[in-house]
Amino acid sequence: MANILPYWMIPRPKRKLELIPQSLRIFAGVATGTSWDGNTPIKKTFEDALDGANFKRSGDYTERAQGRGGSGGRTHGALLYSLGLWFRHQNDPKTPQEVHLTLAGQALVDQKPAFPILRKQVLAFQFPSAYSVRVNVDRKYRLRPFIALLKLLKREELRGYLTTEEVAACVIGYTTGHSDTQIGKTVDRILKFRADGTSSLPNDFTTALRSPISNKQWDAQALISNGGTLGDIADTFIQWLRYIGYGVAVDGEVFDAGRKTVTALNLSMEQEIDQAIDDWGQKPLQTMYEPENDRFALAESAKAFQRTYGVKVGMKKDQRTIRDIQAWTSSERTLAIVSASLNHLYFTQVVTEITDDVVDAVGNHCGLDLKTVRESLETLISSPTHGISAFLDRYEEMSRSGTDKAIAFEKATAEILEHTFGLGARQLGQTGAVPDVEAWSEDWGIIIDTKAYQAYGLPIDHQRAMHADYVPAYAASLQGRPLKAFAYISNGFAKSFDANLRKTVTRAQSHVADVQGSGISMVPWRQVIMAYEKGELTKENLLQLWTMGREVTPKDVQDLIDA
């Protein structure tokens, strides 16, 4: 048996989950119905496709000259497997294994909204699992790690935050369950670490928790820092927690934490977080049976685990027969490849109809002939509404991506303002002390800052940029129109946002007397976009929302629709 990993483990070819849907679509197009283990050509093909889509860093592939290679494809495949998005099937012990998608994986390939699917998979992630058994994580770990992290963030003794080093030093190598007793012991370890640093750690820390496959000698600080084994694993757990919106990055000064950035609970979702802790904390762990000396029985157990773990939100069991699953055809694999390339286009463009330009763009990206691309697109974009909805799923992913997709978020916002609302719009970000986007109708202008945050609070330097730099620059006019509003578009807002917005508006009005401000998060913003597309809102309704002087709520939007 392989060396036992003495700590929580998680695959990390990418530490953030934003690109999982696209990566899975490429994987499905390459690997579904084929064997995976030991199939180096398939792994190389997947690796090449990821390179072509800019989903992974290209390498020099010197391993390939020696008949090896494909490790990038292997680790990306392991990431998808760890999230319960595919499983291995064998008809009998003598036949090769086949790759097939779970229900959650199939839903992502079919362009269903990714965020609720992946949030459920993250919350349900557990030790032991088919993945953790495969990489041989110590069986003493029996917990849902993300529930453990949320419980820690709820503990008053920890003052509402965790650092990545604390997770690396005190959590991933010691917390074996998510019961209140286990969490209490972990709290004690963290408090000692905050007081005494690495001197609080056990004497055997570096030997007990070093990687069993590495001969490198680490000191404790190096092991838990960025670039160290435990530090990198801890950071990946933190990034996943932030992706699902329950954890947010916060300036360490807010907590006097002695770190530039810490992770805190997203207080705007506290009720939902409490419900998730109750639901997933009390739900029994899924059974991962490990028969001894029977590889086929172990493979069947792993398959059963993956199919159950990978059910869609709200479902308990995958009712499909293997025969139904094996009916996945070559045309459907092609559909997955086109879907991945269409998804790439959605990062910058609203696609509501299948034009020659769209076919060319998708065809150039995926490399398939244009006739095949057009036929696949006719399946994927069944109506303008479906096209907008699929675009907005990608747009929402950008809105929580942090700096990774911030520029794409700006460009996509300008695209929405122009394509959906018929406004003039320009993306300006990255060109100096300017807002991210300016937009205008026949009668008025607005400036917009996009913030790829899960809980944006409008900090003081951002307030100053708006009232001291941006608004004065448009005091005379914006494209010949009077500036009427400035707005912030973000995935979500912190409780401090409205108070900080009021301060900003008051100071901005010393330059433009009647200017107003607002903030709108993804739920009401999607509501606005879809309602406008249906003719239920007008440009003047947009201005009403943007001049509300506070965060816009779904009720505000619905009231305008019903008026």
Side-chain angles (χ1 to χ4, degrees), residues 50-90:
L50 291 171
D51 278 351
N54 298 318
F55 291 170
K56 66 177 291 292
R57 186 178 301 168
S58 297
D60 60 11
Y61 297 136
T62 54
E63 288 285 287
R64 295 191 179 188
Q66 302 176 45
R68 298 191 293 269
S71 61
R74 176 178 55 78
T75 54
H76 278 265
L79 173 59
L80 301 174
Y81 187 76
S82 74
L83 282 163
L85 302 177
W86 64 276
F87 65 92
R88 296 167 171 88
H89 167 72
Q90 279 180 284

Side-chain angles (χ1 to χ4, degrees), residues 11 13 20 23-24 27 36-37 46 73-89 97-102 121 125 129-135 240 288 298-307 309-310:
I20 287 293
S23 175
L24 179 67
F27 177 81
W36 180 253
D37 298 327
F46 181 40
R74 176 178 55 78
T75 54
H76 278 265
L79 173 59
L80 301 174
Y81 187 76
S82 74
L83 282 163
L85 302 177
W86 64 276
F87 65 92
R88 296 167 171 88
H89 167 72
Q97 289 183 336
E98 301 170 353
V99 168
H100 294 293
L101 299 180
T102 63
Q121 296 308 112
F125 186 95
S129 66
Y131 163 74
S132 73
V133 166
R134 194 170 186 85
V135 299
W240 286 26
M288 177 58 209
L298 180 59
E300 288 293 286
S301 176
K303 176 176 70 176
F305 182 95
Q306 288 294 91
R307 292 188 68 183
Y309 173 34

Side-chain angles (χ1 to χ4, degrees), residues 492-536:
F493 291 95
K495 291 182 178 179
S496 60
F497 176 79
D498 278 354
N500 289 337
L501 179 68
R502 286 193 293 272
K503 297 176 192 174
T504 309
V505 169
T506 298
R507 289 169 179 152
Q509 287 176 342
S510 66
H511 302 286
V512 178
D514 61 347
V515 74
Q516 262 296 349
S518 66
I520 188 163
S521 62
M522 280 299 108
V523 172
W525 186 224
R526 288 187 69 139
Q527 192 180 0
V528 169
I529 294 165
M530 298 305 291
Y532 196 95
E533 185 68 25
K534 296 174 185 175
E536 296 173 342

Side-chain angles (χ1 to χ4, degrees), residues 1 128-130 132-134 136-140 142 287-294 297-299 301-302:
M1 179 175 280
S129 66
S132 73
V133 166
R134 194 170 186 85
N136 207 21
V137 173
D138 196 318
R139 304 311 191 271
K140 71 181 180 181
R142 299 189 58 79
T287 300
M288 177 58 209
Y289 176 57
E290 292 186 69
E292 295 184 6
N293 304 317
D294 190 335
L298 180 59
S301 176

Side-chain angles (χ1 to χ4, degrees), residues 99-234:
V99 168
H100 294 293
L101 299 180
T102 63
L103 286 169
Q106 186 65 58
L108 290 176
V109 168
D110 291 342
Q111 297 273 347
K112 297 296 189 292
F115 186 61
I117 296 170
L118 290 176
R119 175 182 278 174
K120 177 261 175 182
Q121 296 308 112
V122 168
L123 291 172
F125 186 95
Q126 70 168 63
F127 299 118
S129 66
Y131 163 74
S132 73
V133 166
R134 194 170 186 85
V135 299
N136 207 21
V137 173
D138 196 318
R139 304 311 191 271
K140 71 181 180 181
Y141 296 109
R142 299 189 58 79
L143 77 159
R144 293 192 173 95
F146 294 96
I147 299 305
L149 292 173
L150 290 172
K151 281 190 165 186
L152 288 169
L153 287 170
K154 292 285 291 183
R155 291 293 290 254
E156 291 183 3
E157 306 99 301
L158 297 182
R159 298 193 291 122
Y161 76 90
L162 288 169
T163 70
T164 303
E165 285 189 356
E166 289 166 359
V167 175
C170 307
V171 181
I172 67 174
Y174 296 105
T175 305
T176 58
H178 57 247
S179 68
D180 290 343
T181 299
Q182 276 287 322
I183 296 304
K185 292 178 180 178
T186 303
V187 168
D188 290 342
R189 279 194 298 273
I190 293 172
L191 291 175
K192 290 176 182 176
F193 182 77
R194 287 183 182 178
D196 301 321
T198 56
S199 64
S200 70
L201 301 176
N203 292 332
D204 66 347
F205 179 80
T206 56
T207 54
L209 294 182
R210 64 188 290 272
S211 169
I213 61 173
S214 172
N215 293 321
K216 184 173 181 178
Q217 298 300 311
W218 299 86
D219 62 36
Q221 187 59 52
L223 197 59
I224 65 175
S225 297
N226 187 35
T229 302
L230 300 182
D232 287 352
I233 294 170

